[in-house]
Amino acid sequence: MTTAIATTRAPSAAHLYSQGVQVGDLVFCSGQLPLCAESGRLVGKDDPRAQTRHVLANLTAVLEAAGSSLGDVVKTTIYLTSMDHVDAVNAVYTGAFTGITPARSCIAVRALPHPDALVEIEVVATRATTSE
């Protein structure tokens, strides 16, 4: 069974795509940009650390809406507009995950959907299961 995941605590996907999709016990989160859910405005212009923190907060909101968390993430894909930002992103990223660190890809891209975005991250996670 496939279920769309949606939350008002992360930027709206404007009906172009789902914020996340759950298939069985897997959660696939669309790439999140450093945008404020309420205003749609960019957070942390020219600051890759601030942008990464906000992207991770947006991902946390989507994962929680699916009954998951950053601790359940098994794979991340990071898109950067410059590899010069990788150390700043890593400084925030390394503190976000506990236990086994997720498998990861980090890709330099020419541009992201918002002209001032420096980072976008997408994740795949397992869904936390509870026993009754």
Side-chain angles (χ1 to χ4, degrees), residues 65-132:
S68 190
S69 70
L70 286 179
D72 298 312
V73 170
V74 296
K75 172 71 168 90
T76 64
T77 304
I78 301 172
Y79 302 94
L80 301 175
T81 57
S82 171
M83 281 300 181
D84 291 341
H85 301 308
V86 75
D87 289 340
V89 170
N90 283 342
V92 176
Y93 178 93
T94 57
F97 297 99
T98 58
I100 297 172
T101 52
R104 178 177 120 167
S105 299
C106 187
I107 303 161
V109 296
R110 182 182 311 239
L112 292 168
H114 188 286
D116 293 320
L118 304 173
V119 60
E120 178 176 356
I121 302 174
E122 65 182 30
V123 302
V124 177
T126 59
R127 188 172 170 274
T129 56
T130 57
S131 58
E132 296 180 18

